[in-house]
Amino acid sequence: MSIADNIHAIHERIARAAAKVHRDASSIVLMAVSKTVEPERIKEAYAAGMRVFGENRVQEFEGKSAGLNEFKDSEWHLIGHLQSNKAKKAAELFHAVDSVDSVRLAEKLNQAAGEANKKLGILIEIKVGQEESKAGIPLDSPELEELLRAAPRLEHLQIRGLMTVPPFTDDPEGARPYFRLLRDLLDKIAARKLPAVQMDVLSMGMSHDFEVAIEEGSTCVRVGTAIFGARPKPA
């Protein structure tokens, strides 16, 4: 199947998952995860209607962004872990950073966004499992409250919601409890109506489990392999 065929099939799956829980499929954003994907194939996805893309690494995207300059109506999100020393370049390159996991990083991004004269959308990444390899603010960490409280002074950022990558399980149902945890957390934060904090975006679900994520309230699913095919394994 072509990239366009894959995208069409995913939209159909999104629609079925949304209908199952009486949600409007148009309220769910499909993000094409284009890490390690060359510009020519990204252009195929664009031609098939994709406008929201996710990249994992600042340096990789910087290297290929020049070949994507004509995509003026696209949104580019950084979804991979960001080191604070790359915050300046990330703020320049991306429309949003969906993987903020500390007050320090948020402060660096705020300063960089101010210097770039832009308002940068961010999501707070939450670590819902115990895996050492996963990034994010642990559910029981005071860092989350500190970041929420810092929002009014981060005037060049817009906190828009939460993101997570749950522990991987072969059965997509294994992710459901983690997705539910994040949805519950988002609802609790939203109910507080904190200044300068929006909780409109719940980014969760990838190629193998996005239907379960939609059933649990995801508003943005991040799909790479199911669009572009399996990525080559590192040598």
Side-chain angles (χ1 to χ4, degrees):
M1 292 174 70
S2 68
I3 287 173
D5 289 336
N6 290 341
I7 291 168
H8 179 71
I10 292 162
H11 277 300
E12 289 188 332
R13 289 170 63 189
I14 288 172
R16 287 195 297 270
K20 186 175 176 182
V21 289
H22 310 291
R23 293 185 62 197
D24 181 355
S26 67
S27 69
I28 300 160
V29 173
L30 172 59
M31 176 187 290
V33 178
S34 49
K35 65 177 182 180
T36 75
V37 177
E38 60 272 22
E40 291 72 23
R41 295 175 68 228
I42 296 174
K43 289 175 182 178
E44 285 185 53
Y46 180 88
M50 291 302 308
R51 293 297 181 269
V52 182
F53 296 87
E55 288 280 333
N56 267 43
R57 293 182 174 85
V58 173
Q59 190 170 355
E60 181 196 338
F61 182 62
E62 183 180 17
K64 66 187 181 186
S65 60
L68 303 167
N69 279 338
E70 69 267 37
F71 295 179
K72 301 299 183 188
D73 58 341
S74 293
E75 284 184 26
W76 295 93
H77 294 239
L78 180 65
I79 60 174
H81 178 65
L82 176 63
Q83 296 173 323
S84 58
N85 63 354
K86 294 181 179 173
K88 179 175 174 56
K89 183 56 68 175
E92 292 171 0
L93 287 172
F94 292 96
H95 296 95
V97 175
D98 295 355
S99 52
V100 174
D101 59 1
S102 71
V103 175
R104 181 168 180 266
L105 177 57
E107 290 171 342
K108 292 275 191 181
L109 285 169
N110 182 63
Q111 180 181 349
E115 292 170 359
N117 194 30
K118 68 193 290 187
K119 191 91 164 180
L120 186 69
I122 68 167
L123 299 182
I124 301 172
E125 183 173 7
I126 302 296
K127 183 177 180 178
V128 291
Q130 303 298 320
E131 296 164 297
E132 290 292 330
S133 60
K134 292 282 171 65
I137 300 175
L139 281 167
D140 58 355
S141 171
E143 187 90 19
L144 174 58
E145 186 64 25
E146 291 170 19
L147 182 49
L148 294 171
R149 294 289 185 183
R153 63 181 169 82
L154 302 171
E155 58 186 16
H156 301 291
L157 302 184
Q158 178 58 65
I159 297 177
R160 302 184 59 228
L162 306 178
M163 186 268 267
T164 199
V165 181
F168 180 82
T169 57
D170 289 326
D171 182 357
E173 283 294 328
R176 190 180 295 277
Y178 299 104
F179 292 151
R180 195 164 289 172
L181 271 175
L182 196 70
R183 172 59 188 269
D184 289 346
L185 178 61
L186 180 133
D187 288 345
K188 286 175 184 174
I189 295 171
R192 295 168 63 187
K193 300 188 184 306
L194 296 169
V197 174
Q198 294 177 358
M199 282 288 132
D200 301 327
V201 178
L202 190 59
S203 176
M204 57 187 195
M206 296 185 288
S207 288
H208 73 293
D209 59 13
F210 70 81
E211 285 137 320
V212 174
I214 288 169
E215 291 172 17
E216 293 299 330
S218 177
T219 67
C220 176
V221 294
R222 310 182 303 272
V223 179
T225 301
I227 291 176
F228 297 108
R231 291 176 174 82
K233 290 192 175 125

